[in-house]
């Protein structure tokens, strides 16, 4: 019991490090548009993190991760043959250094992504789903507490001071959108309505996390939170129905959603305006067009993992100049993978996604557990968020790790059902 408690608290160091993507708000000097990392030191992001940000904190976080992987190496090795697609997706970024426009950057960050993948697999083989959910809520509690303390005592770092989003809460995160989407993922374990350990004690957690999400003033996050709650409620209601009846209701709901979607197209400008967006999705449509042009130049294998966005250097300069906006990712998860790893990497990612959905379907048909429902919810959040954000196939990124946890957890549950 004591050993388990020590491991849980030790895991909070890499957990928080991955949640903030390696950089806290008080370490940032103003440019938080790129997916740069304090680990690589290779991204020109205007950050001056010092020895703590560049070495001590990343070193401590990855020391704990490597220790956990090493002590569970045999169990991880026995599990990997059943997760070939996940392993292939983890190895491809490292291999992309052979054709990358920045081989050092690709190999360096590709190595960390491989370690992150092994860490996610390690969580699955070492902990039960309920324990991983509890660890996520534990990390969410720490991040929420740190964010609120910073908002009260260090508002110069924890609040947004730009005119457009003045006063938005970002807490320990480098921007408000990162804060909101991470809080949604960490809120998700508390919205599993069938958890054996669920109680009214979760209500303060849900209330605080929801407050942080709304105060971040990220409209995408508010919409996705609403859709996620609806999804989980429908999933909970389906358990009370017979299988054929649940399937019929699900198909009817899908048809209604398609019909409503077609109707909404004619009112799209009004709908987008109600969510604070214009018909170009705040310029994202122009970005996607420019990104597709760059993908067409190197469609098969892309520009190399973590190697495309180099500011006003190389191909990324064409996109930035065309859109008249300085940024560091494609504002779409699938386009981002295609830029870095080409159609090959994109197809492998879609294969992992399809396999996860297939395993989830099998588990739900035979009576899903709380863990399976959480994994399925993580897959749903990943799909929703990667329309105009990017949360997958990133190094030192908690949301990318949680996607792998969901895929591996569903594979494990489906395998247990088959055997």
């Amino acid at each position: 019991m004591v050993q388990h408690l020590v491991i849980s608290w030790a895991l909070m160091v890499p957990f928080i490090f991955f949640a903030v993507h390696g950089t806290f708000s008080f370490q940032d000097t103003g440019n938080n548009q790129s997916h740069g990392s304090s680990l690589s030191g290779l991204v020109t992001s205007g950050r001056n993190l010092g020895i703590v940000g560049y070495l001590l904190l990343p070193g401590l976080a990855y020391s704990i991760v490597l220790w956990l992987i090493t002590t569970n190496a045999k169990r991880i090795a026995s599990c990997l043959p059943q997760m070939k697609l996940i392993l292939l997706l983890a190895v491809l970024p490292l291999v992309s250094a052979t054709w990358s426009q920045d081989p050092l950057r690709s190999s360096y960050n590709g190595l960390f992504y491989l370690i992150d993948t092994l860490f996610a697999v390690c969580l699955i083989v070492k902990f039960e789903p309920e324990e991983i959910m509890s660890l996520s809520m534990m990390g969410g509690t720490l991040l929420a507490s740190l964010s609120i303390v910073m908002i009260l005592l260090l508002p110069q770092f924890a609040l947004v001071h730009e005119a457009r989003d003045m006063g938005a809460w970002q807490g320990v995160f480098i921007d408000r959108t990162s804060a909101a989407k991470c809080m949604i993922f960490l809120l998700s374990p508390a919205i599993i309505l069938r958890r054996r350990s669920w109680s009214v004690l979760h209500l303060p957690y849900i209330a605080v996390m929801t407050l942080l999400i709304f105060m971040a003033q990220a409209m995408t996050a508010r919409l996705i939170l609403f859709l996620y709650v609806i999804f989980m409620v429908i999933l909970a209601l389906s358990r009370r129905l017979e299988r054929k009846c649940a399937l019929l209701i699900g198909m009817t709901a899908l048809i209604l959603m398609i019909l409503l979607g077609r109707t909404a197209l004619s009112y799209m400008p009004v709908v987008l305006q109600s969510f604070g967006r214009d018909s170009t999705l705040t310029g994202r449509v122009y970005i996607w067009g420019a990104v597709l042009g760059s993908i067409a130049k190197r469609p098969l294998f892309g520009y190399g993992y973590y190697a495309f966005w180099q500011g006003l250097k190389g191909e990324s300069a064409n996109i930035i100049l065309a859109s008249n906006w300085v940024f560091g990712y494609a504002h779409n998860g699938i386009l981002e993978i295609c830029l870095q790893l080409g159609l090959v990497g994109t197809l492998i990612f879609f294969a992992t996604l399809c396999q996860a959905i297939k395993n989830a379907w099998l588990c739900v048909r035979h009576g899903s557990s709380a863990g399976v429902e959480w994994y399925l919810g993580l897959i749903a959040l990943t799909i929703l968020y990667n329309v105009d954000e990017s949360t997958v196939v990133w190094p030192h990124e908690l949301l990318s790790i949680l996607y792998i946890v969901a895929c591996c957890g569903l594979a494990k549950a489906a395998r247990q059902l088959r055997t």
Side-chain angles (χ1 to χ4, degrees):
M1 181 66 180
V2 175
Q3 183 184 13
H4 186 80
L5 188 62
V6 171
I7 292 174
S8 297
W9 277 104
L11 282 173
M12 290 302 102
V13 176
F15 191 98
I16 292 175
F17 176 79
F18 293 141
V20 300
H21 199 67
T23 308
F24 293 92
S25 58
F26 53 83
Q27 295 176 299
D28 190 74
T29 58
N31 185 347
N32 49 27
Q33 294 300 321
S34 73
H35 264 276
S37 165
S38 60
L39 272 163
S40 65
L42 299 173
V43 180
T44 305
S45 61
R47 297 170 187 164
N48 184 16
L49 306 182
I51 190 170
V52 174
Y54 279 118
L55 294 176
L56 295 184
L57 182 58
L60 178 60
Y62 271 98
S63 294
I64 295 171
V65 167
L66 289 173
W67 169 78
L68 195 67
I69 292 172
T70 304
T71 54
N72 294 274
K74 290 184 178 179
R75 299 168 71 179
I76 294 172
S78 65
C79 187
L80 286 177
Q82 287 79 42
M83 300 172 184
K84 295 182 180 66
L85 289 173
I86 290 293
L87 182 59
L88 183 59
L89 186 62
V91 172
L92 185 61
L94 195 57
V95 176
S96 73
T98 58
W99 65 78
S100 172
Q101 63 179 6
D102 192 335
L104 178 61
R105 197 172 181 180
S106 295
S107 57
Y108 190 86
N109 288 285
L111 176 62
F112 282 112
Y113 181 68
L114 177 60
I115 295 172
D116 296 344
T117 299
L118 295 176
F119 175 58
V121 176
C122 183
L123 292 176
I124 291 296
V125 300
K126 183 172 179 60
F127 299 100
E128 294 297 321
E130 288 270 354
E131 293 176 317
I132 304 176
M133 294 164 72
S134 296
L135 286 171
S136 298
M137 291 183 63
M138 185 176 174
T141 301
L142 289 174
L143 284 165
S145 301
L146 289 171
S147 293
I148 291 174
V149 168
M150 283 194 60
I151 289 166
L152 294 175
L153 301 181
L154 298 169
Q156 67 270 31
F157 299 113
L159 299 179
V160 177
H161 299 286
E162 298 175 359
R164 178 187 170 189
D165 306 304
M166 181 67 69
W169 293 9
Q170 63 184 36
V172 296
F173 299 86
I174 60 171
D175 58 60
R176 61 189 181 86
T177 55
S178 296
K181 67 184 178 185
C182 188
M183 291 302 178
I184 289 180
F185 275 79
L186 296 179
L187 173 61
S188 62
I191 308 181
I192 305 302
L193 304 181
R194 65 176 296 160
R195 290 189 64 185
R196 293 189 298 272
S197 59
W198 198 94
S199 68
V200 292
L201 296 177
H202 287 130
L203 294 179
Y205 179 83
I206 294 174
V208 171
M209 299 297 276
T210 303
L211 174 65
L212 289 170
I213 291 167
F214 272 79
M215 292 306 294
Q217 298 181 22
M219 297 307 300
T220 299
R222 296 177 185 180
L223 176 60
I224 289 178
L225 177 59
F226 173 75
L227 294 175
Y228 177 76
V229 171
I230 295 296
F231 176 79
M232 297 312 296
V233 168
I234 293 174
L235 190 61
L237 291 175
S238 68
R239 294 196 309 268
R240 303 183 181 184
L241 303 173
E242 293 183 4
R243 191 178 305 167
K244 292 182 179 179
C245 184
L247 181 61
L248 178 61
I249 292 175
M251 292 299 295
T252 304
L254 179 61
I255 292 171
L256 287 175
M257 288 177 64
I258 294 173
L259 292 175
L260 287 173
R262 290 190 63 182
T263 304
L265 285 175
S266 58
Y267 299 97
M268 188 58 69
V270 178
V271 173
L272 290 172
Q273 187 176 5
S274 66
F275 286 100
R277 299 289 178 88
D278 55 28
S279 58
T280 67
L281 297 178
T282 323
R284 284 172 172 80
V285 173
Y286 300 129
I287 293 173
W288 295 338
V291 166
L292 286 172
S294 295
I295 290 172
K297 296 177 183 178
R298 298 180 67 170
L300 195 57
F301 295 105
Y303 293 83
Y305 185 65
Y306 225 78
F308 180 80
W309 298 102
Q310 300 190 43
L312 295 176
K313 290 168 51 180
E315 182 62 27
S316 63
N318 295 330
I319 296 179
I320 291 173
L321 293 174
S323 60
N324 197 28
W325 183 21
V326 178
F327 53 95
Y329 68 107
H331 289 275
N332 179 279
I334 304 306
L335 292 180
E336 186 62 45
I337 296 173
C338 207
L339 273 176
Q340 297 188 34
L341 302 174
L343 293 175
V344 172
T346 305
L347 289 174
I348 295 173
F349 169 75
F350 270 119
T352 65
L353 182 61
C354 291
Q355 188 177 62
I357 294 172
K358 178 183 175 182
N359 290 330
W361 175 249
L362 175 65
C363 294
V364 171
R365 281 175 53 204
H366 291 83
S368 60
S369 64
V372 166
E373 292 186 7
W374 181 52
Y375 296 147
L376 183 54
L378 289 177
I379 297 296
L381 284 176
T382 298
I383 293 171
L384 289 170
Y385 246 118
N386 280 272
V387 174
D388 69 346
E389 296 285 345
S390 181
T391 69
V392 287
V393 199
W394 287 107
H396 14 275
E397 170 62 70
L398 180 63
L399 309 189
S400 184
I401 291 172
L402 288 178
Y403 171 74
I404 301 168
V405 165
C407 290
C408 295
L410 289 168
K412 181 180 177 182
R415 187 169 64 253
Q416 290 173 345
L417 279 174
R418 294 188 185 101
T419 56

